[in-house]
Amino acid sequence: MPTRFTSRAPRAAATLILSLTMLPTGGSAKEKLNCSAYAATAVAQNDQNMMQKCGFAGPRWSNDFNGHAKWCETATMADLTSEDKARKSMLAQCAEKPKQDQQACQTYAKAAVEHQVANTSQGCGFAGGAWSENYAAHFDWCLKASPEARATEGNARYQQLLGCFAAQKAAKKDACAAYAATAVAQQKENQKRGCKFTGGAWSEDWSAHFKWCEETGKAAPGKEIELRSAALKDQCLKQVCHWTRRCSGFPTFSCTTTTKCSNVPR
């Protein structure tokens, strides 16, 4: 491409529509198209594409002045206007990219911090640079990464958390099933020994114990089992007494009885 088109690129891009109609007064509609102006503007727009590192490519984005001019000779004014409008729109979108990146990375960094908070609070144990509560670090990384890399990183964290939560849920179901079985067994012992403990904690309803376990914290089921065990051991008691009789003969015959009682589990 001749250097004169690059140096005058911004000016050419701004004057395309006017220059396209700087025509000879005679001739056909095809002859009235100023293809030199069109080609110069197309080259200038591609210079802007490269300068802003937009990455647009293809026939539309070329520094081949002659190629643009030759295409123009086969086109209509509507074709030229449409092509110019498309390039302008794409360049405008590219110019907005820094602002869009800022907004996208704010969203990304906020989500990354929330993921780490969930990781810590749920005890998942994930570690490494991707797992941090440092908002600024996530934001800076995002600005340097491609949209695809951001999406991959964010989705990877999310999927890891889902896996952790699913595993924990399955583990809790198993733990709650064991808890419910123990609770039912303790209630049967309560009934068998006639301890007469009552209330929701003393029930033969396995499902009720299981549901309660799922809705409560991790430590609560264990404490509940301990409380029932202590009640069965220390509060469900019966008194057992032993009598001892001692008698003496000479010089007088006499007897004494000693009673000794103790509380033992029923």
Side-chain angles (χ1 to χ4, degrees):
M1 183 197 74
T3 55
R4 57 195 178 91
F5 296 117
T6 302
S7 62
R8 293 186 293 177
R11 184 177 176 183
T15 59
L16 171 62
I17 300 303
L18 290 177
S19 62
L20 288 178
T21 56
M22 294 172 63
L23 317 163
T25 55
S28 66
K30 287 286 182 184
E31 293 172 338
K32 292 180 180 180
L33 297 179
N34 190 336
C35 289
S36 292
Y38 170 80
T41 301
V43 169
Q45 287 169 323
N46 189 51
D47 286 345
Q48 188 177 351
N49 165 40
M50 292 188 293
M51 181 177 66
Q52 295 179 185
K53 298 181 180 180
C54 298
F56 302 135
R60 175 179 288 167
W61 301 96
S62 166
N63 276 0
D64 184 355
F65 177 90
N66 292 329
H68 287 300
K70 186 175 181 180
W71 176 84
C72 170
E73 292 172 358
T74 67
T76 65
M77 176 62 77
D79 293 333
L80 303 189
T81 302
S82 175
E83 196 72 1
D84 177 66
K85 184 177 180 181
R87 276 192 292 264
K88 283 182 177 178
S89 176
M90 293 174 72
L91 288 171
Q93 291 177 19
C94 177
E96 281 290 311
K97 186 178 179 181
K99 180 180 178 181
Q100 293 170 355
D101 282 346
Q102 291 276 336
Q103 294 172 340
C105 288
Q106 287 169 359
T107 300
Y108 170 86
K110 181 180 178 182
V113 171
E114 290 174 350
H115 288 161
Q116 172 58 7
V117 170
N119 170 39
T120 302
S121 65
Q122 297 301 314
C124 293
F126 300 128
W131 297 96
S132 165
E133 289 188 48
N134 188 331
Y135 177 96
H138 288 299
F139 184 81
D140 290 343
W141 178 88
C142 175
L143 286 177
K144 297 172 185 175
S146 68
E148 294 76 17
R150 299 169 195 164
T152 298
E153 187 80 352
N155 186 60
R157 259 195 313 267
Y158 181 68
Q159 292 300 325
Q160 283 181 283
L161 284 175
L162 287 183
C164 171
F165 297 159
Q168 289 182 340
K169 187 175 181 180
K172 185 162 188 179
K173 281 186 178 294
D174 291 342
C176 286
Y179 165 80
T182 300
V184 169
Q186 288 175 318
Q187 168 58 4
K188 287 182 177 179
E189 182 180 350
N190 169 39
Q191 292 175 324
K192 182 178 180 180
R193 291 169 54 187
C195 301
K196 298 182 180 179
F197 297 130
T198 60
W202 299 95
S203 167
E204 285 189 80
D205 189 339
W206 187 94
S207 296
H209 288 299
F210 182 83
K211 183 178 179 182
W212 176 85
C213 174
E214 282 202 310
E215 294 173 350
T216 193
K218 292 181 179 180
K223 290 181 179 178
E224 195 75 1
I225 288 175
E226 289 177 3
L227 288 173
R228 279 192 295 265
S229 293
L232 289 168
K233 178 182 178 182
D234 302 328
Q235 298 174 36
C236 185
L237 305 173
K238 64 180 179 180
Q239 191 177 64
V240 176
C241 296
H242 298 277
W243 292 271
T244 303
R245 187 176 178 81
R246 295 177 181 274
C247 298
S248 61
F250 184 83
T252 61
F253 184 82
S254 64
C255 294
T256 60
T257 301
T258 303
T259 301
K260 185 177 181 181
C261 298
S262 60
N263 291 323
V264 297
R266 285 180 177 272

